[in-house]
Amino acid sequence: MSTAPFRRIVTGHDAQGNAIIQEDGPPPRVQRIGGEIGPMFYEVWNTRETPARIDRASGEPAEDGIKLAPPQNGTRIRVLDIPPEDTRMATLTPEEAAAHFAEVGAGAASSHSAGSRHAMMHRTQTVDYGIVLEGELVLIVDDGETVVRAGDIVVQRGTNHGWANRSGKNCRIAFILIDGAYADGLA
């Protein structure tokens, strides 16, 4: 387990209702997913309901391991360090890709098949805001792709997608994930 290259500062309220700094340190859950070719996950915070409960001094709701999607009716914020791809990504089988997603409780999210545009193609019932902090990635969807760079923001709305780091350098991206539900026959 590693420590994060950034701090997580959490505010709260004391017994008199004054604003306080409740926590100041690295996020407590950091894990590489998918072996040495996979991204490093820095789990920052999750909520379990909307509207989110704001109380005096509770901490982040407890969670076992790293989960891809946010809790039902909740949210999640995480930072990912996505390393540059090498030839191993192109040779992943659909079963191996599903196993990578299974590490984060989402094996069924993997959509990799013989005709996939990328081995890490996947789909979740979420709205995700992806903010590139440094580096660049290629966002791949069923019909197209685009390069996203530091400062760019992606609004990913439950679509089948994958991320490719073709830059030769690490990419750091923050994701805010919001639980969603497919409508209009999109399921």
Side-chain angles (χ1 to χ4, degrees):
M1 178 142 151
S2 302
T3 59
F6 59 89
R7 293 165 38 212
R8 177 182 84 166
I9 297 105
V10 180
T11 65
H13 298 91
D14 66 14
Q16 292 74 41
N18 295 311
I20 60 169
I21 304 294
Q22 185 176 323
E23 295 181 40
D24 185 345
R29 292 183 296 133
V30 177
Q31 183 178 341
R32 183 168 302 281
I33 301 296
E36 63 185 36
I37 65 170
M40 184 70 78
F41 278 62
Y42 304 100
E43 295 299 277
V44 179
W45 195 263
N46 76 80
T47 64
R48 299 293 170 137
E49 58 202 0
T50 302
R53 183 178 314 268
I54 301 171
D55 57 12
R56 294 220 180 265
S58 66
E60 177 185 20
E63 199 166 49
D64 291 329
I66 306 287
K67 306 291 185 218
L68 182 64
Q72 185 174 4
N73 298 316
T75 65
R76 176 178 314 288
I77 181 170
R78 73 166 43 105
V79 174
L80 288 171
D81 278 344
I82 301 176
E85 287 187 14
D86 63 25
T87 56
R88 293 174 287 181
M89 187 65 72
T91 62
L92 281 180
T93 67
E95 295 77 20
E96 290 168 328
H100 284 230
F101 283 99
E103 288 184 53
V104 289
S110 177
S111 59
H112 180 37
S113 65
S116 292
R117 300 195 65 220
H118 191 269
M120 292 291 114
M121 294 294 284
H122 64 285
R123 183 177 184 212
T124 56
Q125 283 192 79
T126 60
V127 173
D128 306 339
Y129 306 139
I131 305 159
V132 180
L133 303 173
E134 61 184 60
E136 69 178 44
L137 288 172
V138 178
L139 168 61
I140 304 166
V141 294
D142 291 335
D143 188 16
E145 62 181 52
T146 190
V147 176
V148 293
R149 295 178 178 89
D152 291 344
I153 301 170
V154 175
V155 179
Q156 195 288 117
R157 301 175 49 244
T159 56
N160 190 41
H161 68 286
W163 300 99
N165 185 343
R166 301 174 183 159
S167 73
K169 298 179 182 174
N170 185 64
C171 179
R172 181 166 293 147
I173 185 168
F175 284 103
I176 296 93
L177 301 97
I178 303 165
D179 186 36
Y182 291 128
D184 302 328
L186 289 176

